Structures are given as structure tokens and as C-alpha cells.
Amino acid sequence: MGPGRGAAHLELERRYRRVLRLYPREFRARSESEMLGVLMASAPDGQLRPARADVTDIVRGALIVRLRGPRDGWVSALAAFSLLAPLFLVMTDVLQVVFPYRVNITGLTRVLDGTATLVPLRGMAGQVGGIQLLSQHGFLLLAAGHLIIAALVVAGLRRTALAAMVVVAAVDLIQWGSFGIPIRMPYSVQIVTITVFVLEAVALAVSPGPRAGRRLVRWRYAVPVVLLAASMQACALMVDGNRLSPFGRTVLSPGSYLVLAIAFAVTGLVVTLAFGLGWRVCLLLAVMCYPALVYTVVNYAAFGFTYAGVAYDPVKDLTNYSGSPQFAALHVAILYLPPLLVAWWAAARVARPHPIGVVLEHGEVAV
Amino acid sequence: MQETTFLILTALAGGSQHGYGIIQDVGRISADRVRLRAGTLYAALDRLDADGLITVDREQIVDGRLRRYYRLTADGRGQLAEEAERLRASAAAALTRLSALRPGTATAFIRSCDPRPGLAGGAL
């Protein structure tokens, strides 16, 4: 078709331009003008609407490009992840405080038949999460640590964020060593923190860091972060809610919480792909949520939380590291080996390591 | 290597070309068996550029629109040569075995593939 600018030509171009919005913004900035040129050159005179075969091809191409993600693969994926993961941890903590869950402890009066007294279960007054968490030293220290790390990565301070992570991990370990696992901390927060710390440390060490991640991450990425944190909250409600209410009933059945947790996680990952961050970031985010989801699934599959009046604590049972060494090793391997392998895989594929303090392009200094 | 990738690299082995030119050339190379469309072409060009097999040679503005010319890099030439050799070896193996089934048919075709001067040439 010639270079004419008839009404039909302009209308066709407008419609093609609309279809091309399926591509990520970065790709469009680079290639939209070229693609429009090819599409218009291929169109016969007088064509008003995009050819169906072209539209199908564009949809397929956009899907491929979105799945592929940024051009420099793992480098960008780890940079984006180094920014998103601490924000996810903060959001997880916030949801634990903002959405407390009151367990139904009426069953306790039946069990304590004759006393007619409601005895607060483990001193929690039948509540999981909520503002009371802020009075729990374990949670408070961990949440404050998450907040500091998040603030440092948002500020682009890679080296300081790494140092803060070491301090927070050390404080947490000392706390565990001194007091044992603090049972009042939501289990999903504990379990997800370990994985995120491993992946985040790798991301900060081998990628250009959160400052480079900011070039890829837009405000809309709050959506998948909140969805994934909501998935962790559903895990907490299922595991901790049932743990604290062995004689009562929960508002939703354990299976419903499980479905909610998986639905939130899957939606968050699909949204991440739709936003064009690619399969690598998606994989890192999925691996980040994996231990908590697997733990929740295993709990449901194994026990279903049908206590039938029998006091049973599956969390204590499944996390009893003082039990047989083989069981403890298997437990750790199932939950943490896949994230470690993905972290190793990602780090090995960053062709050019980015030592801390290196000068990046455009004269920017990664610190 | 996917056939689309092979055909695009083959098109660029003849010199730098812009997107529409590549589509037309791929049609010629494949005897109109493969018809590239914009979505497939630019997803492939983006990947090949990221992998360092092609690069932008020059840019022009034509009728107010960007026209970008692509060319093979040294890596691209190397990979195309490797793939062409692999395809030649595979085709030769297939044709040799076919010739055992139908003597004469495949042998003539193998001769037509021989790139030496004086022989009918260049189907592969």
C-alpha cells in the first residue's frame, strides 16, 4: 500500500495501534512504529479492519514477548525481584496485623464441661493476628526488620540492605535459639521470611540491585505483591487459625482457605506475567511463596483439621526439629531445596556479576 | 534452531534488510511456504537481537515512520553456518537412506544440492 493518508488508511492504523497495546510498554517504545509500518505495508488498499490472521499473530507475539520478559533475562529479573520481595514481606506483615481472625472458641466450654468458663486458648483470646501481634517481641522485631530492609531497597541502597538483612537474620536466629520458635508469630511469616531472605540475598548480590529494578517496576506491581501477600494471609488463617482452635470451628473450612491461598497466588503470578515482567520474575515470586503453600497443602492433605475433639497440633508435629534427624532433614529439603536451586540457577545465569559499588550505565553507581 | 529463525537469519545473510523486506525475502526463500507476519517477525527479531545474533544496521524515517535495517552479527553468521551444515548433514543422511529404497530418485536430488560450480545447485 502506498503512503497515502486516506480515511481508511488512518482508521486501519488506529485499529492496529490499538491491538499493538497488547505488547509491553518497553517493547512498544522500541518496535511499534516499525511494526505499524510492516502491517500497513502488507494491507491492501481500502482495508478498514485489521486482518484476523494478523491480529492472531500479534496476540501470539505479545504473549511470547510478555512471557520472555525484559531483554537481559536473569539480570533484570533479579533486579526487579530485589525491589519487590522486601515490599512483599512488609505487605505480608501488614495483612497479618490488619486482618485478625477470631477463632470460634465456644467448643471450649463444651470440652470444659461443668466449669462454664471460657478459658483463653494459649492466652490468645481466640485470635490470630491483629494489633496484638505488635506486642509480640518476635513479630515486632521481624516486622521492623522487614520495614527497614524495604525502605533501604526503595532508596536503592543495595549494600546497606544486605547488611540489614544479615542483622535481621541474626536477631531472628538468636531469638529462636533463646526462646524457641515463638508460637504466636504467624507461621506463614516465619516460613516465607526464610525463603525470601535467601532469594533476596542472591538478588542483591549478583544483580545490579533495586535501583536498576526501579526502572522495570511500576506502581501497578503493587497489585501482584498484595495478591501474593493475601495468599500468605490465607495460609496463616488456615494453619494458625486451626492450630489455635482445635476444639472450635473456623469461619471458613480449611479447604476454603487453601483454595483462597492458591487462587490469590495464581492470580498474582498471572498478573505479573500480564504486566510483562516475564517468566523469570514470575518463577522467583512463585518460589518465594512455595514453602508456605506446600506446608498448607500438606497440612490439609494429611490432617484436614478434623480434630473431632482431639487436641492435635500439626504445626508442632511437622516442625518438630527435635524429632528424628531424618524427618527434620526431609522437612527442610522439601520446603527449602527448590528455592535454593532456583536461586543457584538464577545466580549462575547472570553472565556478568555486578560487584557491589560498580558503576552502571549512564554513570549511575550501584551501592 | 526453529525454521522461522533459520529463514530470518538466511534472509539477513544476503545483506541488511528492514522488517517488510525480511518478510518478502523469507517468502522467496521458502518458495512461499512460510509467510511471516509482523507479530512473529518482531518477536523473533527482538530475541535474535537480545541473543546477539543480529543487530541494527541503520535507521531511516520513511513517511514519518521508523524503518530499521537489521544485519547479521559474527555470532549470527556462525550459528547460521552451523545450522545450515547440520541441516545439510541431516538431509544427506535422509536422502542416502531413501536412495536405498528408491534407487535413482534421491541420488539425483543429492546432486542438485551439491554447491560445487558446474553442478545444479543450491536447493539447500
Side-chain angles (χ1 to χ4, degrees):
Chain A
M1 187 172 178
R5 284 285 184 273
H9 184 96
L10 291 174
E11 178 61 16
L12 181 63
E13 180 172 331
R14 190 182 65 80
R15 287 179 166 160
Y16 268 130
R17 206 180 280 275
R18 200 163 55 194
V19 182
L20 289 174
R21 284 187 202 148
L22 290 170
Y23 284 91
R25 185 188 305 182
E26 184 200 3
F27 184 90
R28 282 209 314 273
R30 196 169 55 242
S31 303
E32 185 182 64
S33 177
E34 272 183 276
M35 289 184 77
L36 267 176
V38 169
L39 289 163
M40 298 305 293
S42 308
D45 285 333
Q47 181 178 328
L48 271 175
R49 293 177 179 281
R52 188 175 297 175
D54 278 331
V55 172
T56 308
D57 189 58
I58 287 169
V59 170
R60 184 173 158 275
L63 190 64
I64 290 170
V65 170
R66 282 183 181 277
L67 282 172
R68 190 183 296 154
R71 289 182 137 213
D72 41 3
W74 282 111
V75 174
S76 288
L78 288 167
F81 181 82
S82 72
L83 182 62
L84 290 174
L87 298 177
F88 158 81
L89 280 183
V90 169
M91 188 50 64
T92 303
D93 296 338
V94 167
L95 290 185
Q96 302 285 345
V97 174
V98 171
F99 291 102
Y101 171 66
R102 287 194 173 277
V103 295
N104 180 354
I105 58 171
T106 53
L108 208 56
T109 58
R110 193 177 64 245
V111 173
L112 303 173
D113 195 19
T115 65
T117 307
L118 282 176
V119 178
L121 199 60
R122 293 186 184 172
M124 295 290 289
Q127 180 175 303
V128 178
I131 199 77
Q132 63 168 355
L133 273 175
L134 297 179
S135 64
Q136 309 291 333
H137 292 306
F139 180 81
L140 200 60
L141 280 172
L142 202 57
H146 292 167
L147 199 59
I148 291 168
I149 294 165
L152 291 172
V153 296
V154 168
L157 302 173
R158 184 164 69 134
R159 185 167 48 188
T160 317
L162 257 176
M165 283 179 65
V166 172
V167 172
V168 171
V171 167
D172 203 36
L173 279 174
I174 291 168
Q175 185 179 251
W176 279 32
S178 305
F179 309 112
I181 297 174
I183 60 165
R184 288 173 183 174
M185 277 176 61
Y187 190 74
S188 62
V189 175
Q190 297 173 36
I191 203 168
V192 84
T193 297
I194 299 170
T195 324
V196 172
F197 266 47
V198 169
L199 292 170
E200 178 71 5
V202 171
L204 286 173
V206 304
S207 82
R211 196 171 291 183
R214 276 199 312 225
R215 287 199 289 269
L216 300 165
V217 174
R218 312 262 182 261
W219 280 108
R220 60 187 177 170
Y221 285 104
V223 176
V225 165
V226 170
L227 283 169
L228 293 172
S231 175
M232 291 305 103
Q233 177 69 1
C235 288
L237 294 183
M238 178 179 162
V239 176
D240 293 342
N242 283 280
R243 180 181 57 156
L244 291 169
S245 181
F247 303 110
R249 289 181 298 111
T250 51
V251 172
L252 298 178
S253 68
S256 302
Y257 285 125
L258 180 61
V259 170
L260 265 181
I262 293 173
F264 278 134
V266 170
T267 310
L269 297 176
V270 168
V271 169
T272 306
L273 281 178
F275 284 171
L277 268 187
W279 66 271
R280 295 175 186 85
V281 174
C282 203
L283 178 65
L284 288 167
L285 293 176
V287 162
M288 182 178 79
C289 296
Y290 160 86
L293 282 173
V294 164
Y295 184 80
T296 311
V297 169
V298 166
N299 265 267
Y300 182 66
F303 308 110
F305 295 102
T306 52
Y307 297 102
V310 178
Y312 185 72
D313 190 341
V315 174
K316 185 181 172 188
D317 194 61
L318 277 181
T319 57
N320 187 4
Y321 286 87
S322 62
S324 73
Q326 294 90 339
F327 183 83
L330 184 67
H331 177 84
V332 172
I334 289 173
L335 292 185
Y336 296 113
L337 201 55
L340 283 171
L341 286 175
V342 169
W344 171 79
W345 171 275
R349 265 143 194 83
V350 175
R352 186 166 52 87
H354 297 265
I356 291 169
V358 76
V359 177
L360 301 174
E361 70 255 55
H362 313 306
E364 191 175 355
V365 179
V367 290
Chain B
M1 186 182 284
Q2 291 179 353
E3 187 183 21
T4 306
T5 306
F6 179 78
L7 290 171
I8 291 171
L9 293 180
T10 303
L12 294 178
S16 67
Q17 298 203 56
H18 55 76
Y20 190 59
I22 295 172
I23 287 177
Q24 290 179 314
D25 205 11
V26 164
R28 279 193 294 272
I29 295 165
S30 67
D32 287 330
R33 188 174 50 78
V34 175
R35 189 189 166 193
L36 277 183
R37 291 180 184 277
T40 304
L41 173 68
Y42 280 92
L45 289 177
D46 185 58
R47 181 173 51 80
L48 292 171
D49 190 20
D51 291 347
L53 301 185
I54 65 171
T55 189
V56 175
D57 188 51
R58 63 186 187 280
E59 294 178 344
Q60 287 180 347
I61 301 295
V62 179
D63 295 329
R65 225 185 303 274
L66 178 70
R67 181 177 282 180
R68 202 171 268 150
Y69 287 78
Y70 298 89
R71 65 174 168 78
L72 280 185
T73 62
D75 280 352
R77 280 196 298 276
Q79 287 217 10
L80 178 62
E82 270 179 33
E83 183 66 8
E85 193 51 49
R86 192 187 66 77
L87 288 174
R88 185 204 298 279
S90 299
L95 293 168
T96 302
R97 294 185 180 197
L98 282 171
S99 68
L101 296 175
R102 290 186 297 166
T105 311
T107 311
F109 191 72
I110 289 172
R111 284 204 190 102
S112 75
C113 298
D114 195 323
R116 285 175 297 173
L119 292 173
L124 286 178

